[in-house]
């Protein structure tokens, strides 16, 4: 259990870092997605080169009570390849946009991975035995001359070195004209949605040749286009409910029971804008880059360029909480527009939680309630919804002594810079943390810098 | 929140230029100041930043320009002439050269294992 109550701030320590040390980053090595599976035992990453790497947590060592199991490479495979659509003169990147795990049903693990156009269901299975003692085949595979066989034996399974195999079980293709930004598995564990800039499709995990379009915001005249879909997610408990966010900062909640095509939302979440504050940048920075339901499904969190907002599903006209991620960037928007950083898509995540306890607990404010998101200069931010305290931490190899608590960082927006503070102008905007993930049950977090994966965990006594 | 001009203690005519500048900064929200900077640099910037142009560019990501129509037309025209080959110096390629599928930079998939697994 996560050590609830009493305002015990989590003390984060470096645990591991994966990836190359050199500064010269190959495009293919840029990490594009990070996701824990439902038990937290497996951690998957996807990169721009179309590859998936899965790490597995070691079984806890009873003698080493001061740390949890380390994550080591379990499997790696090429999920997507680059393609060229000659008909449309379109290059299709192999970059993995999202990975989503299915809950485990049997010995094998399943995940969905997607690039801009095609979603694939991968089966990851273990093999630790192999049959030996065939009558007609030698151990090396050569066939024996049947006339030389004088006795019969029964082949048996013998142990072998563990082999982890990944195989594509389903390919869901040709359903998206625009670029897929999200996939989300339904709580029925049978269907999932995929969203591109203008449309959302519903699939059945077993059926690849058919998909239902459930949202279509493409205008009849493309010149009237004002808004695109930026993210979508199914509700964690209600299998007919999903939300999608837009480039204009709105979130629409739809109920699939209302109609086959959910173009009319059931709820529209939008914070009214102060017209006196409107500028050229307003719409761009209001674009929502990520939307995530809380585990209970009562709240959802959105990330726009400068802030994280928590919405109560029962209140559409404004968020219940807003947290500033890096407000000091508001006076740098001109240069951030020029270097394209203003279009960076940051993700956000909730802390893991024990869902059962959350339901049973009469006073949910005792439960740890923390949200995390990335920023620049390899900084990432955490906001504690209970204490209203926030912290800025850094993913850097300089802090890589295990069990050393990470030192909070501070950015100096203006005026005199204190010792240990970093001025806004010294921030490295090439070092962005776009993808982070929180273990579903423990205080372990995975933070992806451009090409490295950091794992941090809370200080255990 | 911007404080309206004329309130507070800074409007006294003390001749302190520094305080006047601070007052002005307080009146203009930082976003507007940044917008003014951008418009000064790029006077032709469109009026509707979140509108069609910007979104259309986003939707067109990945567009390359091999046009099979142009390719076949040019091939028909050049039937009797010596076709200039791509050659090692692609930088010299101009309008006479017919792009072929082979000339398009081929994106090979990464056969190298991810460094995360190293």
């Amino acid at each position: 259990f996560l050590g609830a109550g009493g305002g015990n701030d989590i003390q984060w320590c470096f645990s591991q870092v994966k990836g190359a040390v050199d500064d010269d980053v190959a495009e293919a090595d840029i990490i594009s997605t990070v996701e824990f599976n439902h038990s937290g035992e497996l951690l998957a990453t996807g990169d721009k080169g179309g590859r998936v790497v899965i790490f597995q947590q070691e079984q806890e060592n009873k003698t080493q009570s001061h740390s949890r199991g380390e994550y080591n490479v379990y499997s790696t495979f090429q999920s997507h390849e680059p393609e060229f659509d000659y008909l449309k003169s379109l290059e299709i990147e192999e970059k993995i946009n999202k990975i989503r795990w299915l809950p485990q049903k049997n010995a094998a693990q399943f995940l969905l991975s997607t690039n801009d156009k095609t979603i694939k269901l991968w089966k990851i299975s273990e093999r630790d035995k192999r049959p030996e003692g065939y009558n007609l085949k030698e151990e090396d595979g050569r066939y024996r001359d049947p006339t030389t066989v004088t006795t019969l034996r029964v082949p048996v399974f013998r142990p072998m070195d563990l082999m982890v195999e990944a195989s594509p079980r389903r390919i869901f293709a040709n359903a998206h004209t625009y670029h897929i930004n999200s996939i989300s598995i339904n709580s029925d564990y049978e269907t999932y949605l995929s969203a591109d800039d203008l449309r959302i499709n519903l699939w059945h995990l077993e059926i690849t040749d058919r998909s239902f379009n459930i949202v279509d915001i493409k205008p009849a005249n493309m010149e009237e286009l004002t808004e695109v879909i930026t993210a979508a997610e199914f509700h964690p408990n209600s299998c007919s409910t999903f939300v999608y966010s837009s480039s204009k900062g709105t979130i629409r909640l739809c109920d699939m029971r209302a109609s086959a095509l959910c173009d009319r939302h059931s709820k529209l979440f939008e914070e009214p804008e102060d017209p006196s504050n409107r500028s050229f940048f307003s719409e761009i920075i209001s674009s929502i880059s990520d939307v995530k339901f809380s585990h209970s499904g009562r709240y959802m969190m959105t990330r726009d360029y400068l802030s994280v907002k928590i919405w109560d599903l029962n209140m559409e006209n404004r968020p219940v909480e807003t947290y500033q991620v890096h407000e000091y960037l508001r006076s740098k928007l001109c240069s951030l527009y020029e270097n394209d950083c203003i279009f960076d898509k940051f993700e956000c995540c909730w802390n893991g939680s024990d869902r059962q306890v959350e339901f049973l607990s009469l006073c949910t404010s005792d439960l740890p309630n923390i949200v995390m998101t990335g920023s620049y200069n390899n900084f990432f931010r955490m906001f504690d919804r209970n204490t209203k305290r926030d912290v800025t931490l850094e993913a850097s190899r300089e802090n890589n002594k295990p069990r050393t608590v990470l030192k909070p960082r501070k950015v100096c927006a203006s005026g005199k810079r204190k010792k240990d503070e970093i001025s806004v102008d010294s921030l490295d905007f090439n070092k962005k943390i776009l993808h982070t993930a929180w273990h579903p049950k423990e205080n372990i977090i995975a933070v992806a810098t451009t090409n490295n994966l950091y794992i941090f965990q809370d200080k255990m006594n | 929140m911007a404080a309206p001009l004329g309130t507070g203690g800074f409007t006294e005519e003390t001749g302190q230029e520094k305080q006047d500048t601070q007052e002005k900064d307080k009146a203009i929200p930082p976003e507007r100041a940044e917008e003014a900077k951008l418009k000064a640099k790029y006077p032709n910037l469109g009026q509707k930043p979140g509108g069609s142009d910007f979104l259309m560019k986003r939707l067109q990501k990945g567009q390359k320009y091999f046009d099979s129509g142009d390719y076949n037309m040019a091939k028909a025209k050049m039937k009797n002439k010596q076709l200039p080959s791509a050659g090692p110096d692609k930088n010299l390629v101009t309008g006479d050269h017919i792009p072929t599928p082979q000339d398009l930079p081929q994106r090979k998939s990464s056969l190298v294992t991810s460094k995360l697994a190293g």
Side-chain angles (χ1 to χ4, degrees), chain A residues 422-438:
Chain A
I422 299 184
S423 80
V424 183
D425 297 312
S426 316
L427 295 175
D428 188 340
F429 290 96
N430 289 320
K431 294 192 174 161
K432 0 186 162 216
I433 290 179
L434 304 173
H435 312 286
T436 60
W438 202 307

Side-chain angles (χ1 to χ4, degrees), chain B residues 85-105:
Chain B
S85 60
D89 199 354
K90 290 209 171 117
N91 290 331
L92 288 183
V93 169
T94 59
D96 279 340
H97 175 67
I98 305 164
T100 64
Q102 292 91 301
D103 293 342
L104 288 175

Side-chain angles (χ1 to χ4, degrees), chain A residues 81 89 278 330 334 338, chain B residues 31-32 34 42 62 66 109:
Chain A
E81 308 257 350
S89 283
R278 186 153 182 87
R330 201 179 287 271
C334 179
E338 288 179 292
Chain B
E31 254 181 71
R32 287 276 182 81
E34 289 297 297
Y42 309 101
F66 171 74
S109 66

Side-chain angles (χ1 to χ4, degrees), chain A residues 75-91:
Chain A
S75 170
T76 176
F77 55 93
Q78 185 78 35
S79 172
H80 287 71
E81 308 257 350
E83 289 172 60
F84 195 91
D85 182 338
Y86 292 102
L87 194 64
K88 296 179 189 167
S89 283
L90 204 66
E91 185 173 56

Side-chain angles (χ1 to χ4, degrees), chain A residues 29 49 51 78 81 88-89 91 94 116 223 226 276 278-280 283 330-331 333-334 338 343, chain B residues 31-32 34-35 41-42 49-50 52 54-55 58-59 61-64 66 107 109-110 112 115-116:
Chain A
D29 291 327
R51 300 164 302 190
Q78 185 78 35
E81 308 257 350
K88 296 179 189 167
S89 283
E91 185 173 56
E94 67 275 36
D116 282 341
E223 285 185 3
T226 54
S276 67
R278 186 153 182 87
S279 76
F280 175 85
E283 195 174 297
R330 201 179 287 271
S331 45
L333 293 177
C334 179
E338 288 179 292
F343 301 110
Chain B
E31 254 181 71
R32 287 276 182 81
E34 289 297 297
E35 181 178 23
K41 277 192 182 180
Y42 309 101
S52 322
F54 160 57
L55 290 177
R58 180 188 171 133
L59 296 180
K61 175 188 125 182
Q63 202 81 42
K64 296 285 174 195
F66 171 74
R107 303 268 338 279
S109 66
S110 336
V112 182
K115 294 198 182 115
L116 289 183

